[in-house]
Amino acid sequence: MRSFANEIRDGLDQALAEDPGVLVFGLGVPDPKGVFGTTLDLQEKYGEKRVFDMPTSENAMTGIAIGAALGGFKPVLTHQRLDFALLSMDQLVNNAAKWHFMFGGKRSVPITIRMILGRGWGQGPTHSQNLQSWFAHIPGLKVVMPALASDAKGLLLSSIFDPNPVIFLEHRWLHNAQTEAADTNKPIPLGEANLLREGDAVTVVSVSYMTIEALHAVDVLKEQGISCDLIDLRSISPIDWPKIEKSVKKTGKLLVLDTGFKSFGIAAEIMAHITETCFRDLTLPPARLTAPDYSESTSPALTKDYHIRAEHIAARIGDMTDRDVSIEPILNARGAAHDVPGNWFTGPF
Amino acid sequence: MTPELTKSLAHGMRRIRTVEETIAARYSEQEMRCPTHLSSGQEAVSAAAGALLRHSDLAVSGHRAHAHYLAKGGSLNAMIAEIYGRVTGCARGKGGSMHLIDEAVGFMGSTAIVGGTVPVGVGLGYSLMIKGGDDIACIFLGDAVVETGVFHEALNFATLKNLPVLFICENNFYSVYSPLEVRQPTAREIHEKIAGYGIHTASGDGNDVAAVHAVMSDAITKIRAGGGPAFLEFSTFRWREHCGPNYDDDLGYRPDPMIEEWTARDPISLFEGKALADGRLIQGEIDAMQQEIDTEVNAAFDFARSSEFPPAEEADMHVFADQMTGGPL
Ligand SMILES: Cc1ncc(C[n+]2csc(CCOP(=O)(O)OP(=O)(O)O)c2C)c(N)n1
Ligand SMILES: [Mg+2]
């Protein structure tokens, strides 16, 4: 068994080994915890020039990554929370995303920006934001959001060796997730979604940690005679429209799941696109389950129903299919409090 | 130093220590469910500031703010309740340990993004400048904050406009596990680099509360007299892990001699030892003071734990304000 965090670490290790142009840096990269275990021992292996800690200067360091990329390198910059990377929006949006475009295709900017998405245990308003739609809104940025541990490495390798800036979003609740998949070293192309479950009742489109909740819901519903297509997007820009459209043409029903705020989000875009392209195939208005349009509070009393869980997904699919569904098996299987990814987590970060 | 000031500094440090150590002792009960950064070992800078700042002075801070909030006069009950996620918390449970506020005593807010409140503090200083008077804005910051762009941009503006702003930098040599030397050139100390702005700068031993008090008092007098911004750097040392209740020196990120040297220089015993020796304090007073603090701190934890959680309807409240809260000038 290998964890999501191990897979990320091995992806970095492989990229550093394969290509002397790969650089890995970010706050805490060489520290004893190694960014939740994802960068452990890399500095020892590849030296301080290629793997290094940095000042708390997110905006400048992003520009420096861009400059290094223009100089021929492939930097991977890591942020322990997406919220800290907000300081670098200027460099990401005005420089990284546009350099290739605004100089008429002279030079690409092969940078990968890893950002970790926080949740639970009082992460609160500024340590829990899922702003993937911000990045996906910007032409010139690719946005990758792995869900399964078995995809983490392949997607990271494709991101690092993509000629463009890639925002690689890792949900904190996934780092301990395990996979039994064989260690393949094979890149997974960006823009290829993964059809994880097949059925004809509803098309469920999901990203990142929501896919884990969706798997529980879809599997429990299958035992109750409702089979759904479950599409894990893996990357949201570029996005795999053909796979979503094909599924909707079969099921006629679309449910989109996202970890971000509801309004103007990824789910909104998918619903709009499907309404444009598959309007006549739809037998129901498209639906979405997302975070609400307000920030996550710190108090556990205020986060109980903030995030979408498997039981919400199952209940909504029941509504969409006019079927009575039982969420008991989901509730019974849940062993930990709502604000921790499992009982192994006892805080503080 | 007067006996009153001596007692006030000892009390200020002991109160912060007791609060932080009680949080550390109770964190494993899993009732304080938020990231929590403790200031044990770093009490002196806050205690000195607490003795010098007025409630009408305005202060802001960052992620490690318990000590600053308490020193400024922030309600202990409301802070502990906030960490416990209760509706009686200073932010009604919305913000937790990293988002403290008590406007009644001029503590205008602490936030979790490194450097995020520095320009806010300068903006508060601008508002004080326009209003006139001799109140000041005080910005508490860690050594990592001087690596941010926004710090330099805000300092530039404060200097340009000669604002009444006191920057207090607690240099504990680390940002999480990262030592200063992987983040900043260390040939010059932080305050020496800042001196290039042409403002008043000074530094001191942040574990010597009397020295901190003297350096701070001088700077505050200058700012109140219209001298413009000042930047003070105090070296100090965090005892526990960056975030959380434990010790983490088993990880080996801080050299043993450094740990030994700094923990031997406990700001409380350093100060009280001298005061006891020259008769400014007697042991009985210290014992009584500690007893009173213990009672207050235990009562605050009882208050927090017996407070209600916010009702679920509050989750989506406060996104927008319905009316101005600042009132007319
Ligand atoms: C912009 C930003 N980057 C990174 C972080 C993560 N972070 C939280 S506290 C901290 C350390 C700050 O160090 P310092 O200012 O020296 O304060 P100390 O913790 O030592 O008191 C870091 C890097 C953050 N909160 N915000
Ligand atoms: Mg520090």
Side-chain angles (χ1 to χ4, degrees), chain A residues 10 12-13 26 31 59 69 81 112 126 155 187 195 203 212 270 281 296 314 330 347:
Chain A
D10 285 8
L12 293 171
D13 192 359
D31 84 19
N59 195 25
R81 285 289 180 273
T112 303
T126 61
L155 288 170
L195 183 62
T203 298
I212 307 300
I270 295 172
D281 302 296
E296 180 177 316
I330 297 173

Side-chain angles (χ1 to χ4, degrees), chain B residues 161-182:
Chain B
K161 302 288 183 183
N162 201 45
L163 299 180
V165 179
L166 175 61
F167 296 83
I168 299 180
C169 176
E170 285 171 88
N171 180 358
N172 60 11
F173 309 106
Y174 283 82
S175 165
V176 195
Y177 307 105
S178 303
L180 206 57
E181 58 269 21
V182 304

Side-chain angles (χ1 to χ4, degrees), chain A residues 27 58 84 87, chain B residues 63-64 112-114 142-144 172 174-175 242:
Chain A
L27 287 175
E58 283 84 359
F84 311 156
L87 288 161
Chain B
H63 59 285
R64 192 181 310 285
I113 301 299
V114 169
D143 46 281
N172 60 11
Y174 283 82
S175 165
H242 165 70

Side-chain angles (χ1 to χ4, degrees), chain A residues 182-239:
Chain A
D183 190 2
T184 65
N185 297 349
K186 269 229 318 261
I188 297 171
L190 305 186
E192 243 183 50
N194 196 2
L195 183 62
L196 290 178
R197 294 288 186 273
E198 279 187 69
D200 47 24
V202 174
T203 298
V204 181
V205 176
S206 175
V207 285
S208 187
Y209 179 74
M210 286 310 301
T211 296
I212 307 300
E213 297 285 345
L215 277 167
H216 288 299
V218 167
D219 287 348
V220 163
L221 289 182
K222 176 141 200 200
E223 284 165 19
Q224 298 176 29
I226 305 173
S227 311
C228 297
D229 266 4
L230 172 57
I231 298 174
D232 177 34
L233 287 176
R234 301 199 288 200
S235 83
I236 54 178
S237 177
I239 190 166

